[in-house]
Amino acid sequence: MRTVVAALTALILLTGCDDAGATPAAKPSAVPAAAAGGACQLLDYPVVNAKLGLGFGVAAAATLENTFTCVLQPPGAAFPDLVLSVSATTIGADIYTAAVQPKGAAPVPGLGAAAYQLQLPAAAEVGWLAGNKRIIQLTVHLAPGSADAAAAELLPKLLGLAKLLDLSSL
């Protein structure tokens, strides 16, 4: 599962933006994130930006088998980015915790059937098994070399966004 999500994320990011020669857009796109399709249907720029304190305005989506993904980025920049993936599953909380939840992740009570949060170098991640049998993962990548404190500061904000998304479904 994590391999599929990582491959989709890499594909979207590699085909999406390159900072070389990029000029910032005058204003964010008037097109809503949901227009990109896929998991972007669950995201709204004003809500995401308010929850995370970031300035996303560009969305791209992909679908592979039963996994829907969405990447949000600021206009004209590659970082930060927000990656949302949603996959249908038949597993229960015990298997999710044992096989999907990354080693070293902290459990998060009160989110879905099972959930975790994880701080990574220049990134923060929240993942959970939703009650509607979906594995959902939210990751914010900061610019390489960003301070660990910046990623740590994002975790509670990302958790707040996850709780809002847990009430949605594809």
Side-chain angles (χ1 to χ4, degrees):
M1 174 63 204
R2 290 185 65 79
T3 303
V4 170
V5 172
L8 284 172
T9 300
L11 177 64
I12 290 169
L13 292 176
L14 289 174
T15 59
C17 295
D18 179 4
D19 280 338
T23 56
K27 62 181 181 174
S29 170
V31 177
C40 293
Q41 295 174 59
L42 299 174
L43 300 174
D44 178 64
Y45 295 128
V47 172
V48 172
N49 291 338
K51 279 288 185 191
L52 301 180
L54 299 173
F56 298 119
V58 178
T63 302
L64 180 63
E65 295 176 8
N66 69 341
T67 299
F68 301 86
T69 60
C70 179
V71 175
L72 300 184
Q73 293 179 318
F79 292 101
D81 68 39
L82 171 78
V83 180
L84 168 65
S85 68
V86 181
S87 299
T89 188
T90 58
I91 66 171
D94 55 341
I95 294 173
Y96 177 85
T97 303
V100 177
Q101 183 173 306
K103 301 275 187 250
V108 175
L111 177 61
Y116 71 87
Q117 64 181 356
L118 182 64
Q119 180 183 331
L120 303 161
E125 180 175 294
V126 174
W128 69 100
L129 175 63
N132 62 357
K133 292 296 203 175
R134 296 203 174 7
I135 295 173
I136 304 175
Q137 183 178 323
L138 269 174
T139 307
V140 173
H141 300 98
L142 301 172
S146 293
D148 288 345
E153 188 177 299
L154 271 174
L155 270 176
K157 296 175 182 180
L158 198 58
L159 188 55
L161 179 60
K163 288 180 179 180
L164 282 178
L165 290 177
D166 194 44
L167 301 176
S168 306
S169 65
L170 276 181

